[in-house]
Amino acid sequence: MGYSKKIALEEASRTGAAQYEIQTPEKTDGTLGFLWCGRFGMHRWAMPIEPLPENLSSYRHVTLCAPIWVFALCSPMRAFCRAARGQIREADLITLHHTRARYRNARREVEELLGLSLTGYRSLCCHCGKILSEQKEK
């Protein structure tokens, strides 16, 4: 749907940050893509992704933006965090979802996969691209 990408681009514009989009060879668009993503999400599998940028470790701070799939961190972000472990020095996380839950489980999983404590966390409830609520944590 592109909601996470929209938030990521807004955040990059606000902070002047460089942008990197996690790419996967898996089908993620349309009805079949939705069902395929749901399968990965339900099993908490990591989805194959394209190689990480070589200069990832040169950034002082990284903001990760990820949708919630089946009440947990989306599969491409799970794969990204596993691959980026040891390359990211400082990060915060923004999650997008359709419920008013905080999804602290996603935060804990990102911290565990990256091997660091996040500097901040924003949980956004989003319906059809409109942000209905936001919860922030340090």
Side-chain angles (χ1 to χ4, degrees), residues 44-95:
R44 308 295 191 257
W45 295 337
M47 187 176 274
I49 60 171
E50 299 297 326
L52 300 182
E54 293 178 17
N55 64 341
L56 187 59
S57 60
S58 67
Y59 293 102
R60 182 184 60 75
H61 182 88
V62 175
T63 298
L64 305 169
C65 298
I68 296 295
W69 289 0
V70 195
F71 309 105
L73 185 67
C74 73
S75 297
M77 184 59 72
R78 183 175 288 118
F80 174 86
C81 289
R82 283 183 180 148
R85 185 180 182 100
Q87 297 180 54
I88 295 177
R89 294 181 276 176
E90 181 179 283
D92 62 314
L93 174 66
I94 301 171
T95 57

Side-chain angles (χ1 to χ4, degrees), residues 92-103:
D92 62 314
L93 174 66
I94 301 171
T95 57
L96 281 88
H97 46 81
H98 296 287
T99 68
R100 295 193 189 271
R102 289 185 188 247
Y103 291 102

